[in-house]
Each structure stands twice: as structure tokens, then as C-alpha cells.
Amino acid sequence: KYYVLDSPAISDAEYDNLFRELQRIEEEYPELITPYSPTQRVGAKPLSAFKKLKHTVPMLSLESLMSENELTDFFRRVYDGLKGKTDKPVEFVCELKFDGLAVELVYEKGKLLHASTRGDGITGEDVTQNIKTIPSVPLVLRGDDAAIPELIEVRGEVIMRIDEFERLNEEREKNGDTLFANPRNAAAGSLRQLDPSITASRKLEIYVYGTGVVKGKDMETHFNTLNFLKQLGLRVNKYIRLCRKDSDVIEFYRSIEKKRQSLPYEIDGIVIKLNDYSQQKILGERARTPRYAAAYKFPPRQVETVLEDIIDQVGRTGVITPVAVLNPVRLSGVKIQRATLHNINEIERKDIRIGDTVIVQRAGDVIPEVVAPVRSKRPGDCLLYTSPSPRDLSTSRMPSSA
Ligand code: IVH
């Protein structure tokens, strides 16, 4: 109720008391400890390497649709492909496209057996110990035995909320560790830790959005699958819409685009899936992407471009703000040529140099800012920026030693 449904039934204090009572009982009667006890989420020993796990059914990726024209084209291909081959109405399910890391959880007789990353889609890494530390991942599915499938492979996305990402980066900065560029990298870096206690210390979350193999339960539509996953106690996001008309999809896209800014986690679009499984089967798949689903992307808020120069902007109060002169790029439909670098400390902290390829971002309507350099793309001849002296406001630069 607390982690999955976001509606706690007891206070934190009551929960802590029950948890401590359980720990006391398990200490006294260790034979009662099961691998699925809530006390067993953390405490596994560090691994020396991840084992490989092959997915029973490949984990596909999604075709990206970048405009309403491309969306229309997707609809046309779906309708053409189904023409004369189905009696059922064509419906779509819309979901959020989470910007995280795809994983697969395998439950046997309702117990979490193992969990893996998507990897290359065919083979992933066994991250069971780490996945178990995520509180919104149930170790045991809900419901009586009759309702629980013999085997169910559940697919979803591990994400890090933006507030946790910021907390983590602040902590890393204090410790002199390199910063994560975005919540997705932070989630991936946190899940792919050999020591599960590190994963446990990062607040990761999961949203599930589909299945691989399911034995002992027949489902006919994706929408029913999502409701079934919810019933089993798995965390399904609340923004889901069953769309009976194409215009419903567009409406969902626009409503989510408006909400995007206020969501506590990052999404990069919506996912559109044909609802009926028999229709999905008729359309089939290409090598890596299905024909029955697609991602309708939002304009990116981050782009890469070259930092050509840094100029000093003197404000009315005499405060100097370093401004990035960029090789022009489009960001959310607007051409960007300048971005703020905030102040000299930020430039030094992020180690930004003239000539670097940098990540530029826009958060909402605020002025674009330079987030970080892309170190792997740093040329040998980039320049260090030096702040102007009060007397000489023209910039003086020295070649960097790197
Ligand atoms: S379904 C056949 N649903 O997008 C469908 N994927 O490019 C396969 N993703 O690797 C995936 N949110 O990491 C699906 N609601 C969602 C998703 C989602 C994010 C990611 C996932 C996948 C990638 C596909």
C-alpha cells in the first residue's frame, strides 16, 4: 500500500515497529526466515560479476515517432495491416514512456525467482539481488494460489525520481565523485552495482508495463494485462488510457505533455500499443521492433552541441555572468545559440572547456543552460576559461594542459 499504491494504511512508526518485531522473531527462530521476507531485501553479499540471463522472449525496443505526421503514418500502417483480418474494433492503450532502464522480473508460483536487465534484448544481466532492494518490487505476488499464474515474466522500467537524482548528485559532489548526467544514467549506474547495499542506498522505483511468458493465465488484451498486473500487487502507473479513436491518442499525448513538467520523474514521450493480442499477432514484429506499438516522443529537452566560446556578460549591477556561445542547435523547437554557464565556479566544478561538446538543457520556460561536457568527445586543443580580472573585462585564455 505504501510503495506500490501510494496509499499507506498504517503510520511509518507502526510499520517500523512491525518490522522490528519481525526482525526479533527471525533472530530467535532463524528457521522461519524465507528469501521473501521483507527483512531479506538488503544484506546480500557483493558479487564479483553479474551472471548472464537469456530472456525467454526477446525484449524488443520501440520505433520512435517524432511528429504528428509520423503518428498518422503509424496508424495508417496498423489499419492497413489489419484490413480484412480482424472483426474486432481497433483500440490502443497509451502509457508514459519512462526514461529509465528496462528490466524483467520472473515470478514462479508468485515468488520472485530472478530479475535481469534488458541488455541487448536477447541476453541481460542477472540483477536479482539489486532488484530485491527496490521497495516497490513485490517479493511475493498478491492473491490466493488459484489467481496467481504458475510463471509470469513481468517487464517494466526502473527509474530514479528527479529529487533523488539531485540528492545523489549533491552527495557525490561533496565526496568529489563524478556526477550523473541525468536520472536515467543514475538509475542504470545504481542498478548495475555489484554490491547490493549501494543499490539499496539509492532510492529506485519501478513501473511495470507488460509481460513476457505467462503460464497458467490467458490474457486477450494489453489493457486487461495491466489491470491483472495491478491485482497481483505490481506497480502500474496511473496514467494509462484505453483509446478507441486516433484522436484519443493525440489528446493523451497533449495532456501528458502539459503534465510532464510537474511529474516527479522523467519521461520522454508516450507509448502507444495495440490493445488486442490477436491483432498484435497479425501485425507481428520487425527485427528489433514490433509493428503493433511505437513511442511518440516529446521534443528532447537536452541536446549536444559544441561550445565555441565563452563571453562575459556584465549585468547592470556589475555582476559578470559567463555565457556560452554555442554552435546553433534546435531545442524544443527553438534555435539556441547562447546558454548560461551561471558563474565561474560552475564552469570549474563541471570542468567545461571551450571546444567541448556540451549537453545543453532547457527546463520548462527558463533560459537554456549548459549541463555538462561530454568528456569522451573532448578535443585535444580545447581551451580553459579564465575569469576576467575586475580591471580587464576582456577574457584571457590559456591553452589547457589536457
Ligand atoms: S514496452 C514491445 N512500455 O522504451 C514493447 N517500453 O524503446 C517494448 N519504455 O526498452 C517495450 N516506457 O526501456 C514499453 N510504457 C512503456 C515504456 C517502455 C519506457 C522503454 C523500455 C524499452 C524502450 C523501447
Side-chain angles (χ1 to χ4, degrees):
K1 288 206 162 174
Y2 183 93
Y3 289 109
V4 177
L5 300 178
D6 212 7
S7 70
I10 58 171
S11 68
D12 290 4
E14 278 173 280
Y15 179 88
D16 290 343
N17 283 338
L18 286 170
F19 194 86
R20 267 184 242 122
E21 186 181 345
L22 178 63
Q23 279 178 318
R24 270 200 306 278
I25 295 170
E26 288 183 342
E27 230 166 80
E28 200 172 330
Y29 307 99
E31 68 276 15
L32 294 181
I33 303 174
T34 74
Y36 313 104
S37 165
T39 60
Q40 302 304 300
R41 286 194 179 264
V42 279
K45 291 205 181 68
L47 301 169
S48 52
F50 291 117
K51 269 195 321 207
K52 298 265 178 253
L53 271 182
K54 196 161 183 238
H55 305 297
T56 342
V57 184
M59 290 180 78
L60 301 175
S61 55
L62 292 166
E63 171 196 6
S64 290
L65 313 174
M66 309 303 280
S67 65
E68 214 169 298
N69 278 344
E70 291 188 12
L71 175 70
T72 310
D73 196 49
F74 168 75
F75 285 140
R76 195 186 42 73
R77 281 183 272 134
V78 170
Y79 293 122
D80 285 355
L82 293 175
K83 204 179 239 156
K85 293 184 181 151
T86 181
D87 303 330
K88 298 181 194 159
V90 180
E91 296 170 341
F92 295 95
V93 175
C94 286
E95 302 166 12
L96 303 186
K97 185 166 192 300
F98 304 100
D99 207 1
L101 176 79
V103 294
E104 179 169 76
L105 317 173
V106 182
Y107 290 90
E108 211 178 50
K109 296 194 170 68
K111 307 247 167 66
L112 180 65
L113 180 69
H114 52 236
S116 54
T117 58
R118 175 175 179 273
D120 61 5
I122 307 290
T123 312
E125 286 175 325
D126 182 342
V127 287
T128 312
Q129 302 292 12
N130 294 346
I131 286 284
K132 281 176 79 175
T133 70
I134 303 175
S136 46
V137 171
L139 302 181
V140 181
L141 298 178
R142 287 175 68 91
D144 45 54
D145 290 357
I148 288 177
E150 173 74 20
L151 179 99
I152 183 165
E153 296 176 349
V154 181
R155 288 164 177 195
E157 198 92 345
V158 168
I159 56 155
M160 186 180 280
R161 283 170 64 124
I162 297 164
D163 54 2
E164 170 67 4
F165 160 72
E166 284 167 355
R167 183 203 64 79
L168 177 62
N169 261 358
E170 271 165 36
E171 180 187 288
R172 291 177 73 81
E173 194 186 342
K174 265 187 224 139
N175 298 337
D177 295 329
T178 53
L179 304 186
F180 289 115
N182 51 49
R184 174 167 39 87
N185 289 351
S190 301
L191 194 65
R192 297 191 61 260
Q193 289 286 335
L194 291 167
D195 181 356
S197 73
I198 298 178
T199 311
S201 74
R202 316 268 172 89
K203 288 204 190 92
L204 296 174
E205 300 182 15
I206 194 164
Y207 282 113
V208 304
Y209 48 62
T211 53
V213 167
V214 183
K215 279 189 202 149
K217 174 87 185 173
D218 287 329
M219 301 300 297
E220 284 178 8
T221 66
H222 180 62
F223 197 66
N224 289 349
T225 295
L226 292 177
N227 283 324
F228 180 57
L229 294 175
K230 255 191 253 178
Q231 251 180 57
L232 292 174
L234 291 151
R235 192 159 181 247
V236 177
N237 192 268
K238 64 175 173 183
Y239 298 110
I240 298 170
R241 189 181 298 174
L242 179 60
C243 299
R244 302 206 157 86
K245 302 192 301 279
D246 296 359
S247 59
D248 293 347
V249 173
I250 297 172
E251 218 170 77
F252 182 80
Y253 177 86
R254 292 194 183 140
S255 74
I256 296 299
E257 196 177 23
K258 280 203 201 101
K259 280 209 180 71
R260 184 185 187 190
Q261 202 52 46
S262 57
L263 291 175
Y265 42 79
E266 288 205 334
I267 57 170
D268 56 355
I270 63 164
V271 180
I272 308 159
K273 300 172 182 173
L274 192 56
N275 189 31
D276 186 90
Y277 288 148
S278 66
Q279 293 176 347
Q280 287 195 1
K281 222 167 148 192
I282 294 170
L283 295 187
E285 289 146 8
R286 308 173 200 92
R288 267 185 298 274
T289 56
R291 291 195 189 84
Y292 50 78
Y296 185 12
K297 300 289 258 311
F298 294 135
R301 287 191 300 198
Q302 282 193 341
V303 283
E304 281 183 17
T305 187
V306 174
L307 173 63
E308 291 179 340
D309 199 1
I310 297 177
I311 54 174
D312 300 301
Q313 201 169 291
V314 188
R316 259 174 302 170
T317 53
V319 177
I320 300 161
T321 307
V323 171
V325 179
L326 306 166
N327 187 6
V329 271
R330 285 184 82 77
L331 183 60
S332 321
V334 182
K335 193 167 113 186
I336 307 271
Q337 238 168 327
R338 298 271 195 278
T340 180
L341 285 155
H342 300 291
N343 54 57
I344 176 82
N345 292 342
E346 283 284 287
I347 299 175
E348 278 170 6
R349 184 175 72 90
K350 294 173 179 166
D351 186 22
I352 296 168
R353 302 179 192 184
I354 298 159
D356 264 336
T357 294
V358 290
I359 298 170
V360 182
Q361 85 175 4
R362 182 207 288 282
D365 293 332
V366 293
I367 12 164
E369 59 171 356
V370 177
V371 184
V374 183
R375 297 291 286 270
S376 59
K377 295 188 182 167
R378 174 165 288 171
D381 59 352
C382 62
L383 299 172
L384 277 178
Y385 165 81
T386 49
S387 64
S389 73
R391 264 173 294 122
D392 174 19
L393 281 180
S394 67
T395 52
S396 55
R397 287 172 198 122
M398 289 179 3
S400 75
S401 51

